[in-house]
Amino acid sequence: MGSVREPQQQRGWVMSHLSLTAVSSRASKSRSIFRKISYRRVGVFAAISDFALILIASVATGIGYHALAFETDGDVGSFCAIGSFCGSIFVIFSKSLELYQPDALLSSRAQFRGILIAWGSALLFGFSILFLLKTGAHYSRGSTIGFSLVSFVLLVASHSAVRVNLRRALADGSLAGPRVITIGDPEELAAKPALRLLRAHGTREVGRFELSPAADESHSSLAYDLAVVDSGIRFAQSQRAEQVLLAIRWVDTARRDLICERLRALPLPVLLLPDRFVSSVLFQASGQPYAQTAIEVQRAPLSRHDMTAKRIFDVVVASMGLVILSPLLLTIGIAIKLESAGPAIFRQRRKGFNGEVFGIYKFRTMTVLEDGPVIMQAQRNDHRVTLLGRFLRASSMDELPQFFNVLAGEMSLVGPRPHTVAHDETYSRSIDNYALRHHVKPGITGWAQIHGFRGATTDPALMDQRVQRDLWYINNWSLWLDLRIIARTVVEVLRFRNAY
């Protein structure tokens, strides 16, 4: 049977695999220093902490020893230089010994042995260089011994604190990391508990969906698998998942392709996890139980850097637009109120990124405010459109309030135009790949609009052409393309085509 573990259930499940069932409810709710740090960045935190502690130990022991023995503070600059040099060497050695790997940070024995080797090597290398360069005159033997011992104690204590806090964060489920859902065969899922996924891939599982057994290839099992995948898609959307992990046998290519085709409805990367056979081969090759790799069978349309750049561009341009156009917006609002009864601006439900429903802002151009399961698109010479509304629709000025949607993060300046929820559901059933339009944020204008596809589209063939242009934009996005579309939108609006 297919199943999904809710986040609350998942948290307890992770605890059981950590053998931390004895942790009290108070301990599970205690705060951890890693509450806002992702699993894979814990090592970076530990490395920075090690460097800082070695630098502090060098300065403190150097000043302290010279103050006690010689009634002078010594050369603070030399202490900082030696501490920085030894700290850098220690971090390099520790990284080569893989001491900063998250699973290694959980092992007290591996940490103590690793610190002893790395710190001893760093001291030997560091002071050998100082001796050869004859630059160690300001650092006495007493301060050297004190620096070596104090640093070692601080490093052991620091890594112990990291281990305790990391275990606590794993236990109470507070560790940051990409939210994922896992879909897979019962056998593969059983071999991949949530903690193993966390250690191997740095992910935080929020849901788990079980397909039919891999050996069952009947027509009913395939239909069941697709239903499970559809449930996973809805769950991923509701829980704002950031990745999808696929745990099925690699030799089952037909099943994998069928599931991946279904998962194209999500604008998320899909990673194919190593199956049990591949995992055993990787373990034999590396000797590390969590040395695994995953194959990205579907990538997100835009990378994090792309989304950040696009978001900054949207916020800057939308803010400038609202400031410059504020007198025009105010004038249009007053004119609408004077012409007919009703609000100047109304909201209508649309589907946006990842199929999430939001309220789009528009200047009211009709005598009705339709937002239900059935909405009649505006037609040429539609009696519902007001006199001012005709001009606003023809000039696309009715879309100007959507700058507020852009600032709210619900829309982008450029992207596929969002349709009403009622029309969206109709088109998704009749047009292939329609759902892929939701892989990016909807836009005030788009590639389809500058090619003449504005306003209502009742002809399915024309709507299919609009969808194809939207998908081309998604697959070829760049900031330069957004600038081109915005420039051409101005020209297209002046033509007053296909908008009524």
Side-chain angles (χ1 to χ4, degrees):
M1 298 293 292
S3 64
V4 56
R5 288 183 170 87
E6 300 293 339
Q8 294 84 356
Q9 296 172 317
Q10 182 70 18
R11 192 166 295 145
W13 189 54
V14 172
M15 289 181 64
S16 68
H17 283 268
L18 271 171
S19 301
L20 292 173
T21 52
V23 178
S24 65
S25 59
R26 176 182 297 179
S28 66
K29 295 179 181 178
S30 60
R31 296 188 64 83
S32 165
I33 60 174
F34 300 128
R35 185 169 293 271
K36 298 299 183 182
I37 300 178
S38 68
Y39 185 66
R40 290 198 175 278
R41 294 189 180 275
V42 171
V44 177
F45 173 87
I48 295 174
S49 176
D50 288 347
F51 178 85
L53 288 174
I54 293 172
L55 177 60
I56 292 172
S58 177
V59 175
T61 55
I63 293 176
Y65 179 80
H66 281 77
L68 291 175
F70 307 108
E71 297 182 355
T72 178
D73 292 339
D75 190 345
V76 178
S78 297
F79 302 150
C80 289
I82 294 173
S84 299
F85 182 69
C86 290
S88 300
I89 298 301
F90 175 79
V91 170
I92 293 173
F93 283 157
S94 296
K95 186 172 178 60
S96 66
L97 293 173
E98 298 186 344
L99 289 183
Y100 297 131
Q101 292 296 323
D103 53 312
L105 290 170
L106 291 169
S107 172
S108 57
R109 179 178 298 180
Q111 287 297 302
F112 184 84
R113 182 174 62 250
I115 291 173
L116 185 61
I117 295 173
W119 183 233
S121 302
L123 287 176
L124 181 62
F125 182 80
F127 285 107
S128 295
I129 295 297
L130 294 177
F131 174 77
L132 292 174
L133 297 177
K134 297 182 179 182
T135 58
H138 297 288
Y139 217 73
S140 65
R141 285 172 294 180
S143 59
T144 300
I145 295 173
F147 168 53
S148 303
L149 294 177
V150 171
S151 295
F152 180 75
V153 172
L154 289 177
L155 290 171
V156 172
S158 173
H159 281 246
S160 297
V162 168
R163 183 177 68 256
V164 170
N165 279 275
L166 183 56
R167 285 182 175 272
R168 184 180 299 163
L170 289 169
D172 62 23
S174 63
L175 196 68
R179 296 167 59 85
V180 303
I181 65 166
T182 307
I183 302 174
D185 304 330
E187 301 84 1
E188 294 297 334
L189 290 178
K192 294 175 175 63
L195 177 58
R196 178 169 295 181
L197 296 178
L198 178 62
R199 288 188 174 188
H201 308 288
T203 57
R204 183 158 60 98
E205 190 178 77
V206 296
R208 173 165 287 217
F209 293 81
E210 197 171 281
L211 304 170
S212 58
D216 187 359
E217 298 181 358
S218 63
H219 179 74
S220 59
S221 67
L222 292 178
Y224 174 80
D225 288 347
L226 293 180
V228 171
V229 174
D230 290 340
S231 297
I233 291 173
R234 292 191 294 271
F235 187 82
Q237 292 173 332
S238 65
Q239 296 297 317
R240 297 180 180 273
E242 300 171 74
Q243 291 180 5
V244 177
L245 303 182
L246 195 56
I248 60 177
R249 296 187 306 168
W250 282 23
V251 296
D252 202 349
T253 56
R255 191 184 202 194
R256 181 198 65 207
D257 294 342
L258 186 65
I259 293 173
C260 288
E261 180 64 27
R262 206 73 161 200
L263 289 173
R264 291 182 66 194
L266 287 174
L268 306 176
V270 178
L271 303 179
L272 178 63
L273 301 177
D275 59 19
R276 288 174 294 171
F277 173 74
V278 175
S279 295
S280 65
V281 173
L282 291 173
F283 172 70
Q284 292 175 10
S286 65
Q288 297 294 328
Y290 303 110
Q292 300 191 30
T293 185
I295 297 177
E296 190 177 52
V297 294
Q298 174 179 302
R299 68 175 182 86
L302 303 181
S303 67
R304 287 186 177 273
H305 296 297
D306 292 339
M307 290 190 290
T308 300
K310 188 173 176 63
R311 179 61 181 156
I312 293 174
F313 176 77
D314 287 341
V315 171
V316 171
V317 176
S319 300
M320 292 175 57
L322 285 174
V323 171
I324 295 172
L325 298 175
S326 55
L328 176 62
L329 296 175
L330 182 60
T331 301
I332 293 174
I334 294 174
I336 293 174
K337 293 292 292 183
L338 292 176
E339 183 188 33
S340 59
I345 296 177
F346 79 103
R347 295 184 67 184
Q348 192 176 56
R349 292 181 307 128
R350 304 286 175 99
K351 278 192 176 182
F353 177 71
N354 203 14
E356 186 174 342
V357 177
F358 71 99
I360 193 172
Y361 293 106
K362 298 189 69 173
F363 278 127
R364 181 175 58 83
T365 58
M366 292 186 175
T367 56
V368 295
L369 301 173
E370 294 180 333
D371 189 22
V374 178
I375 297 178
M376 181 183 299
Q377 295 191 59
Q379 306 293 325
R380 192 173 300 277
N381 300 320
D382 196 317
H383 68 279
R384 299 172 300 167
V385 180
T386 64
L387 184 62
L388 176 60
R390 294 185 189 281
F391 172 75
L392 294 178
R393 296 175 72 89
S395 62
S396 294
M397 288 187 184
D398 59 324
E399 315 287 359
L400 291 179
Q402 288 159 33
F403 280 128
F404 291 107
N405 291 113
V406 173
L407 293 181
E410 299 164 332
M411 293 181 63
S412 178
L413 291 171
V414 182
R417 282 295 299 165
H419 302 131
T420 63
V421 174
H423 296 152
D424 211 85
E425 294 175 352
T426 300
Y427 297 142
S428 62
R429 291 191 296 267
S430 59
I431 299 177
D432 293 337
N433 296 327
Y434 180 85
L436 301 184
R437 299 173 73 254
H438 301 311
H439 280 199
V440 296
K441 290 181 182 180
I444 298 178
T445 184
W447 187 249
Q449 282 63 49
I450 64 173
H451 285 85
F453 293 94
R454 297 175 58 213
T457 304
T458 56
D459 187 345
L462 292 177
M463 178 55 73
D464 183 66
Q465 293 182 45
R466 176 183 289 191
V467 170
Q468 295 308 314
R469 283 166 173 78
D470 289 336
L471 298 184
W472 185 91
Y473 167 79
I474 294 172
N475 293 327
N476 295 274
W477 175 86
S478 68
L479 279 180
W480 173 244
L481 181 60
D482 277 4
L483 287 169
R484 284 177 56 198
I485 292 174
I486 291 174
R488 289 185 58 181
T489 296
V490 177
V491 177
E492 185 66 26
V493 166
L494 295 176
R495 293 181 179 181
F496 286 77
R497 294 193 305 174
N498 300 338
Y500 40 81

